[in-house]
Amino acid sequence: MPYRHRRPLLALALIGNATVPVRLARASEVSYYDWDDCEKDVRRIIDGTLVVNGVDNSTISSYLYHGPVTQLSPSYPREKLLTITYEGCVKLCRNPIAIYKPETAIGLVSNWLFPLNILLSLPFESLHRKKFRLTLVAILNWLGSPQTALTATIFNFRQLRQSHGRVQQDANEHDTHLLCAAFFVLCSINQFDIDPRILHGRRGDNPPRMLRTLVYGLFRPLSSERTADGAFPAPDVELTRQLLVQLAYQLRMYRRKGVIPMLSNLGTFLIAFIFSVVLAFAQLGEDKNSPFSLSFGLLVTWLPLLVVFTIVDRNPVSGDRSAELISRWLYNVDAVMTWSTAQRDRDNRRESDPTTVLEAPSIASVDRQSTLVTLTDPAEPKPEPAVLVTELTNTEEPQAGVDWWKTTSEIPPDLEVGNFIGQGRKIQYCGIPHAFLEATKGVKFSKVNPTELAGHATAIAQELQGDKPWAWYVVAIVSLFLVWTAIMSAFVVSFMSPVVGLGCRTLTYLIFGACSSVPWLIQFRKRPGKFLTIVSHVFNTLAILALLTVVAYQVTGLASNCFCKSSAINRPFLGGYIDFENYSFYRDHYNVIPFWIFGAVVGGLVPTAAFVVALFWWVKCRQIWKANERTTNYPVYAVRASTEWLQ
């Protein structure tokens, strides 16, 4: 009899199959069991030379399986194949759990788990508040529902690609450098949590302050409006250009680098995966775990897809710092917009009534909310004439009269952005760039004045208030297809491996797919409430537990027990028995090889095609986030924006 190393059943209950804990708990022992010994015992009982648990050659018939064997070749005589029922396995084999010997487990770990270190290539972020909680939520969303994370990541990168297309389309009308800056900032803001009440408001309302400020800060810099003498861009145009370029530069610097090394690391994983698949087929007949190793590898093919899309859709090094810079930028843009509106009001009043003397706008006389200008009493002594917007002086000081952000400034809540939620860190629809692009189709911003910008803000608000675009639904379905292709490829290989039927592994695959799809359904709401968020976290946790169960099966052999080996879950339709053959026998006398090949080919080609598409998008769109790390490459003209907000 083989050496048996007993393990406490309590440990089994903790790490065993989450889907059939009661069945496993009834197993008599956890040991380095050899199923060949059970076969020898059964044959000796049939020969009348052994009695096990009161079963002899006169009573063993009720424990033998005489029914049809699924996928057995008709050329092989059925009566030559020894099979026993699940009850026979429990009675005659003493219901063991045959864990792997250390050398076998180490080989499986090195072949199938070490390559999964690409998990560490996911865009984890440590430089933020609430590090543990936010990181845990991100892991739950990435691993618990990869189809949901892929939907968010792919759709965001698609919006980046659309923005790049708009840059190329309008390159003749605008400075390409400014266009790239505007749309890169727009796509970056899209990945931060912004309350819809302060972003687009409710239907029928005027655009909120944040949206008006955002539209002004992104598109006013593209205007071709110049001073009266034509020597310089209009002051507010120049100031918003400087602010936009400075923000784009900072966000590009904070954007994670190292795409090529990360992609090289991913390429190493793919090569290791190919070797593992080839090795699994080469070892059929030698290694009894080969089909299940192959199915495990196919199950996790969604992981490199998630990694590659998060690599090309890079997140900032520090989400908190980027959010702070964006909020300060909005504060300054709002200040410039307020100041410029007051300047124009002064000029308009001067043109309509030359006898009216206007005070120069200052912080005290300009309300940031209402942009009202205080008129002086004509009876009072006239002050010195205010400097007109056309009278520019080259100075190192920031433009006077603008309420620039200072270290003592407090950013209003309706100009503040929240946490970074990109790459599916939070289940929420992020479609700001799409709304901007759709609402401004055909618009030449070089010819748009500030009043028209307000009209575009209204159109964008209506677009944001509407339903999700059809493109998002297409991306969601494609993401679901990619993940379920991996799951079903693994399912086919495992299901069709004798004993054919629904076993512990295949059931766990389905549990992972079902649980991970619940958050995918929840994401169809634009902003799921607290209850649905909790529901998604619960199902994400269950999905991750299912994955960990599969890993435990793979490296420990916990699925090598009577219940799992007999595929007893779907009795009486399939399974309910075990045999004692090896995989060389299955290869030669079962019709299973075509199913294994089909699963491997489909499970490998689909993620490879998606990988190629991601690389193609990355190569095409690099222009929009490229930056010179030594300079912003933008000259400062006669007016200067404050740079204190960058500290």
Side-chain angles (χ1 to χ4, degrees), residues 286-309:
E286 302 173 11
D287 179 7
K288 291 186 177 182
N289 199 52
S290 296
F292 302 118
S293 295
L294 175 61
S295 67
F296 175 77
L298 293 173
L299 177 68
V300 295
T301 51
W302 53 262
L303 181 57
L305 286 184
L306 181 59
V307 171
V308 71
F309 277 108

Side-chain angles (χ1 to χ4, degrees), residues 153-163 434 470-472 475 617:
T153 306
I154 295 175
F155 185 68
N156 184 73
F157 200 79
R158 183 185 182 277
Q159 292 178 101
L160 196 66
R161 185 168 176 266
Q162 282 183 300
S163 300
H434 179 84
W470 64 267
W472 182 90
V475 170
W617 283 5

Side-chain angles (χ1 to χ4, degrees), residues 124-140:
F124 296 101
E125 186 184 358
S126 60
L127 301 177
H128 56 54
R129 300 181 299 270
K130 303 176 183 177
K131 297 179 183 179
F132 179 79
R133 185 177 68 83
L134 294 180
T135 301
L136 178 61
V137 170
I139 293 174
L140 283 176

Side-chain angles (χ1 to χ4, degrees), residues 38 53 89 111 137 247 253 305 363 376 391 442 477 536 544 547 554 642:
C38 183
N53 288 335
C89 179
N111 282 341
V137 170
L247 177 63
M253 291 300 100
L305 286 184
I363 305 306
T376 61
E391 299 176 13
I477 293 173
S536 69
I544 291 177
L547 274 181
Q554 182 65 18
S642 171

Side-chain angles (χ1 to χ4, degrees), residues 495-530:
F495 186 90
M496 298 306 299
S497 297
V499 172
V500 176
L502 191 65
C504 297
R505 284 185 174 88
T506 47
L507 178 61
T508 309
Y509 298 162
L510 294 180
I511 290 175
F512 169 72
C515 291
S516 64
S517 296
V518 172
W520 180 84
L521 291 172
I522 291 175
Q523 72 171 343
F524 279 76
R525 292 184 65 90
K526 274 192 168 183
R527 294 181 69 93
K530 184 175 181 179

Side-chain angles (χ1 to χ4, degrees), residues 266-560:
L266 188 61
T268 303
F269 169 84
L270 293 176
I271 293 173
F273 172 75
I274 292 172
F275 282 152
S276 297
V277 170
V278 172
L279 188 62
F281 275 104
Q283 291 179 340
L284 285 176
E286 302 173 11
D287 179 7
K288 291 186 177 182
N289 199 52
S290 296
F292 302 118
S293 295
L294 175 61
S295 67
F296 175 77
L298 293 173
L299 177 68
V300 295
T301 51
W302 53 262
L303 181 57
L305 286 184
L306 181 59
V307 171
V308 71
F309 277 108
T310 56
I311 287 175
V312 297
D313 181 33
R314 301 300 272 162
N315 63 306
V317 174
S318 173
D320 284 352
R321 174 62 178 170
S322 298
E324 179 66 22
L325 286 176
I326 293 170
S327 298
R328 294 178 186 179
W329 173 76
L330 288 169
Y331 181 98
N332 282 338
V333 169
D334 182 71
V336 171
M337 183 170 61
T338 302
W339 171 80
S340 176
T341 301
Q343 290 277 38
R344 284 184 170 81
D345 287 344
R346 287 177 54 248
D347 291 344
N348 291 337
R349 285 184 171 83
R350 184 182 294 277
E351 291 176 2
S352 62
D353 186 1
T355 63
T356 302
V357 178
L358 303 175
E359 290 182 350
S362 64
I363 305 306
S365 62
V366 179
D367 184 345
R368 292 282 295 276
Q369 292 289 349
S370 60
T371 65
L372 296 178
V373 180
T374 304
L375 300 181
T376 61
D377 186 344
E380 295 180 0
K382 296 181 180 180
E384 293 295 324
V387 179
L388 301 180
V389 294
T390 56
E391 299 176 13
L392 304 175
T393 57
N394 193 0
T395 176
E396 294 297 323
E397 296 297 323
Q399 174 64 44
V402 180
D403 182 18
W404 299 111
W405 183 92
K406 302 179 181 63
T407 54
T408 57
S409 300
E410 183 176 346
I411 298 176
D414 53 356
L415 291 179
E416 194 168 14
V417 301
N419 293 324
F420 180 78
I421 58 172
Q423 289 108 28
R425 284 172 170 80
K426 181 179 179 181
I427 299 180
Q428 178 177 309
Y429 172 67
C430 298
I432 298 176
H434 179 84
F436 271 67
L437 291 168
E438 288 296 314
T440 61
K441 276 184 177 179
V443 176
K444 304 300 180 184
F445 289 104
S446 59
K447 300 177 174 61
V448 173
N449 60 43
T451 303
E452 293 171 328
L453 282 178
H456 292 308
T458 301
I460 293 170
Q462 293 172 351
E463 191 73 30
L464 287 169
Q465 292 161 1
D467 296 330
K468 296 178 181 179
W470 64 267
W472 182 90
Y473 292 97
V474 172
V475 170
I477 293 173
V478 168
S479 300
L480 184 72
F481 170 76
L482 292 174
V483 174
W484 271 96
T485 296
I487 294 171
M488 293 309 298
S489 297
F491 179 88
V492 167
V493 171
S494 182
F495 186 90
M496 298 306 299
S497 297
V499 172
V500 176
L502 191 65
C504 297
R505 284 185 174 88
T506 47
L507 178 61
T508 309
Y509 298 162
L510 294 180
I511 290 175
F512 169 72
C515 291
S516 64
S517 296
V518 172
W520 180 84
L521 291 172
I522 291 175
Q523 72 171 343
F524 279 76
R525 292 184 65 90
K526 274 192 168 183
R527 294 181 69 93
K530 184 175 181 179
F531 173 75
L532 289 179
T533 300
I534 294 174
V535 170
S536 69
H537 290 339
V538 170
F539 279 94
N540 285 341
T541 302
L542 293 175
I544 291 177
L545 290 176
L547 274 181
L548 293 177
T549 301
V550 173
V551 172
Y553 287 159
Q554 182 65 18
V555 301
T556 66
L558 285 174
S560 185

